[in-house]
Amino acid sequence: MHPTDFTIRGALEALNEGIVTSEALTQAHLEAIQVLNPRLNAFITVTAEKALEAARASDKRRADGLAGKLEGIPLAIKDLFCTAGTRTTAASRILGEFTPPYESTVTSNLLRDGAVFLGKVNLDEFAMGSSNATSAFGEVENPWQRSNDDGVRLVPGGSSGGSAAAVAARLALGATATDTGGSIRQPAALCGIAGIKPTYGRCSRWGVVAFASSLDTPGPVARTVEDCALLLESMSGHDPKDSTSANLPVPDFAAACARGVKGLRIGVPKEYRLEGMPDEIEALWQQGLDWLRAEGAEIVDISLPHTKYALPTYYIVAPAEASSNLARYDGVRYGARVDGEDLKDLYERTRAAGFGAEVKRRIMIGTYVLSAGYYDAYYLKAQKVRALIKRDFDFAFRDVDAILTPATPSAAFPAGEKQDDPVAMYLNDVFTVTANLAGIPGMTVPAGYDRHGLPLGLQVLARDFDEETVFAVGTTIEKAAALKALPQVRAFA
């Protein structure tokens, strides 16, 4: 087996047994990045020298009996997490060469446990997008190709498209990501890997460049459900520097993967059966329910009546918070600056040159819904609907332990296909935004393929801070699906 084909669990066992060193593991991934990144554009910044130095230090700690939970594991870091001494761009021109002097809490936790960072991976600008096409550093290519048309470049999904593409193409064993409306789960589904958005508050947001503060949730992507559990356990924990961080113990998520689903009640929300949904998505959903039933779960029909309002509610709340958060980028305090005739002119020129079209669109929508006379009509009403969406889930979880839905309305689509239609692009998040509005955990698990051989995923939702049930259900689906196909563009293929 080539070192880039390890899972995180497999790599940890190989490191413990002395079959491979962290330096060799890291070097193999750096070589893969050198070969494939010019095509995939998954990495914005590669920190090769730092990675090899960290890997050698990791090998010494292991030899000294001081190995951490993720000792020696090469990871990719979404370029939304501040990393001390390494530039953090949020895929935007306006941050320029911003190099934080501090480390985000999530990446600090990973470093504490011995992880090795290969570099920073691409994303939609400020995490705003569903195709990774809005990055100021160029589009990311999905490493999967259609079986009957390998000349078409497909999107990896967004905003964590760089994270998902890097993991699927074997350029990293796992990656950090963030999810504001589906930005972990949607790209994970389109790239055929697993990804979990934990409960809001499970992972600290401190040191993560803000998009929409009441929705942003850090989490991991990896090639298996168990690998996601290992990463999430390291990333989680109370952080006094984030007032929304939950002061709760972190369970053994990896152990939960072995629980099984016998006796669990799995909800099927009727509102997720959308008009015009492709037959293959419907069939995959039914297959997932059959797998869970065969393992002893009970399938229960439920209703989430306010689901139909989720997408418009999200696209009021998220842009409103984005317009507020992004007001700090003015060319004065840090990042890029375009000089002007006076201070107002400097602000206008800097923001016009620094932000891309999608970010400007969302700032304008957000500013409008927060403006005098419209705040009550839009933003306040959206918050009330959000409370109803959360209440739907609270009622549902009185009767069921988890909910199973499709992850996305389609497989990966060609680059540029929906770029001129923002509403069509926003519909990619139709199955995922409710979990962000409610704050509950949700996970995408690879479960099948479409007629072109592209990966499709199922989504598992559960109660607040019950990620253990998500991992138990996700592992059951993963084992039943037993998928073998690999992306056509991958390391050492």
Side-chain angles (χ1 to χ4, degrees), residues 121-397:
V121 280
N122 213 338
L123 64 150
D124 280 301
E125 184 177 7
F126 282 102
M128 298 179 191
S130 302
S131 63
N132 215 130
T134 70
S135 168
F137 294 85
E139 300 178 3
V140 175
E141 181 180 349
N142 191 322
W144 288 83
Q145 296 175 329
R146 288 176 172 172
S147 56
N148 57 350
D149 191 355
D150 59 9
V152 176
R153 288 170 53 94
L154 302 175
V155 303
S159 67
S160 305
S163 300
V167 172
R170 275 58 181 163
L171 306 186
L173 292 183
T176 65
T178 61
D179 194 315
T180 303
S183 289
I184 288 175
R185 291 160 288 159
Q186 187 251 17
L190 267 51
C191 290
I193 60 173
I196 181 168
K197 182 203 90 67
T199 310
Y200 182 81
R202 176 67 86 183
C203 293
S204 170
R205 291 180 296 107
W206 193 86
V208 181
V209 178
F211 163 14
S213 299
S214 73
L215 301 164
D216 295 343
T217 311
V221 294
R223 292 200 287 273
T224 69
V225 173
E226 185 185 27
D227 283 359
C228 283
L230 292 168
L231 291 175
L232 183 61
E233 191 170 327
S234 176
M235 295 166 68
S236 300
H238 179 240
D239 179 9
K241 291 182 286 192
D242 176 0
S243 62
T244 62
S245 172
N247 191 1
L248 293 171
V250 178
D252 184 344
F253 292 132
C257 294
R259 282 185 178 181
V261 296
K262 189 174 183 179
L264 292 184
R265 290 167 62 86
I266 308 297
V268 186
K270 63 181 181 181
E271 290 79 8
Y272 280 62
R273 287 198 162 84
L274 303 179
E275 185 178 347
M277 190 161 71
D279 292 342
E280 55 198 4
I281 301 288
E282 178 73 34
L284 183 72
W285 192 7
Q286 186 57 52
Q287 178 65 74
L289 295 170
D290 291 343
W291 286 331
L292 295 175
R293 187 184 288 111
E295 292 299 316
E298 180 182 356
I299 308 303
V300 181
D301 289 329
I302 62 170
S303 177
L304 300 168
H306 294 92
T307 293
K308 60 185 175 183
Y309 302 116
L311 207 58
T313 299
Y314 173 81
Y315 278 101
I316 291 174
V317 174
E321 295 184 10
S323 71
S324 176
N325 276 325
L326 270 59
R328 73 190 68 174
Y329 302 104
D330 53 16
V332 175
R333 284 166 284 191
Y334 47 79
R337 171 186 295 186
V338 179
D339 290 331
E341 295 177 359
D342 53 29
L343 187 60
K344 182 172 178 290
D345 193 40
L346 180 149
Y347 288 165
E348 290 177 349
R349 289 173 184 267
T350 296
R351 290 168 68 81
F355 291 134
E358 182 60 29
V359 173
K360 290 175 184 172
R361 179 183 294 119
R362 299 198 192 199
I363 288 175
M364 286 190 286
I365 293 171
T367 304
Y368 178 78
V369 302
L370 290 176
S371 60
Y374 296 102
Y375 179 91
D376 288 354
Y378 293 106
Y379 186 70
L380 188 59
K381 183 169 288 186
Q383 292 290 19
K384 290 179 179 177
V385 175
R386 181 180 183 178
L388 294 174
I389 291 169
K390 169 62 172 163
R391 193 177 67 173
D392 284 351
F393 281 107
D394 290 342
F395 284 157
F397 285 127

